[in-house]
Amino acid sequence: MPERQKAKYRIVVFGLLAVLGPPAFGFRVGALVALYSVLLVAYSLWSLRLTVVFPNDASLGYLLCLFDAALVMPLLVWGASFWLVVPLSILWCAGLAASIRSAGAAGREGRVEKGLRKAVELETDSTGHMSRTAFVEELRGLYVQRVESFGLLVVRLQRYQEVRVLMGAEAAGQVLGALSRRVQREAGAGARGYHITEDRIAFILVGQALEEAGPVAARARKAANARLVNGQKLEALVGYSSYPLDGLSPKDLLLAADRRAAEVGQHVAMRPVAAAGSRLATS
């Protein structure tokens, strides 16, 4: 039984104790008895509030069990009806058992979640980045959390198949990883790369990183193509897309990033041609 559900039952039990407890244990109605009844009700409401504020605190249930015993103790010590000790003890033991069971279940869920997260984080390949499975899980988390906007920064190695034939699949992955790490330095230390296809690495952008996606992509493309990789001149295309402006599904976002990267690549490739034409015309 979760602690929040147990706290709801506690309101019922302590509400009955506040009304029927003092007369059942032989206490006369008075100012102290009324104050004690108010204290029981206030405690039950406070315990419910604690389980809402600290929903995953496994030790909270044990602490509340101690408070349960402490607040009922005046009835047992100064009361005259000792036959009610047995049902109250049974209720307290049931509450303790529920807390133990809830803490055990929370611990198991935490270990499973930690194991899955660790498995996803260790799921890397020759590029040094996490796999497509981790990318899908990360996007699913953003959709579940209803994040208003996020973006993708995608780096793609041109003529990847040629590189793979000449150097081998593993070496081609290492080359792609080297180019993507240059992009990652521009995207920021918090950006994590995902190997989504054999020739593409994607980075997820949120917050301020998304607002600066355009300039970051331009700097990243320049940095990726500035130096040789393993002694060879290779070219990477870098594009970005934004959710929901460029699409709602991962496929639409990837297509938008590729389209933007291709447009920038064509624009850059046409510059030398235009410059040469202008020189010929004026010579």
Side-chain angles (χ1 to χ4, degrees):
M1 179 190 300
E3 288 299 328
R4 187 178 303 179
Q5 184 177 357
K6 185 180 134 184
K8 294 178 181 179
Y9 285 114
R10 184 183 284 110
I11 292 178
V12 177
V13 173
F14 276 82
L16 292 176
L17 280 177
V19 177
L20 304 177
F25 279 88
F27 289 97
R28 293 182 179 179
V29 178
L32 291 178
V33 172
L35 181 61
Y36 177 72
S37 299
V38 171
L39 179 63
L40 291 179
V41 175
Y43 163 70
S44 63
L45 296 174
W46 175 70
S47 66
L48 179 60
R49 175 62 179 169
L50 285 181
T51 58
V52 173
V53 177
F54 306 101
N56 298 320
D57 192 344
S59 61
L60 178 61
Y62 301 127
L63 180 62
L64 291 178
C65 284
L66 292 178
F67 280 128
D68 293 343
L71 286 175
V72 176
M73 195 61 66
L75 294 175
L76 303 179
V77 173
W78 291 296
S81 300
F82 294 101
W83 64 273
L84 291 173
V85 173
V86 175
L88 286 179
S89 300
I90 293 175
L91 282 175
W92 184 84
C93 291
L96 180 61
S99 294
I100 294 174
R101 200 161 48 244
S102 177
R108 288 191 296 273
E109 291 176 0
R111 287 192 295 271
V112 170
E113 182 180 355
K114 184 178 180 181
L116 291 174
R117 185 165 59 249
K118 184 176 181 180
V120 169
E121 290 176 352
L122 293 177
E123 196 176 345
T124 59
D125 51 23
S126 59
T127 66
H129 297 295
M130 289 178 287
S131 69
R132 181 183 179 89
T133 302
F135 174 71
V136 173
E137 290 296 326
E138 188 73 16
L139 286 183
R140 182 180 294 128
L142 293 175
Y143 286 126
V144 170
Q145 296 170 18
R146 298 185 182 277
V147 176
E148 293 184 357
S149 61
F150 62 88
L152 298 182
L153 183 67
V154 181
V155 52
R156 181 165 61 88
L157 175 61
Q158 283 195 306
R159 296 184 295 276
Y160 173 83
Q161 293 300 333
E162 297 178 17
V163 176
R164 181 173 180 175
V165 170
L166 294 174
M167 304 176 62
E170 185 174 355
Q174 293 173 354
V175 168
L176 178 60
L179 292 173
S180 65
R181 283 191 290 274
R182 297 177 186 177
V183 174
Q184 188 171 21
R185 283 194 289 270
E186 298 297 330
R192 294 194 297 178
Y194 301 89
H195 192 185
I196 53 176
T197 63
E198 60 180 6
D199 63 340
R200 285 189 295 184
I201 302 291
F203 300 89
I204 297 177
L205 305 177
V206 293
Q208 186 176 358
L210 175 59
E211 298 175 1
E212 301 175 355
V216 167
R219 295 196 306 269
R221 186 183 187 281
K222 183 177 180 180
N225 299 314
R227 302 190 305 276
L228 301 179
V229 181
N230 294 344
Q232 298 188 33
K233 176 62 177 178
L234 299 172
E235 186 175 358
L237 294 179
V238 180
Y240 68 92
S241 59
S242 175
Y243 169 91
L245 295 178
D246 294 319
L248 301 178
S249 68
K251 182 179 179 180
D252 292 339
L253 294 175
L254 291 173
L255 289 175
D258 284 344
R259 183 171 58 252
R260 191 168 280 127
E263 292 172 355
V264 174
Q266 291 176 358
H267 179 70
V268 173
M270 291 175 61
R271 285 181 182 174
V273 177
S278 62
R279 286 195 300 271
L280 289 173
T282 56
S283 60

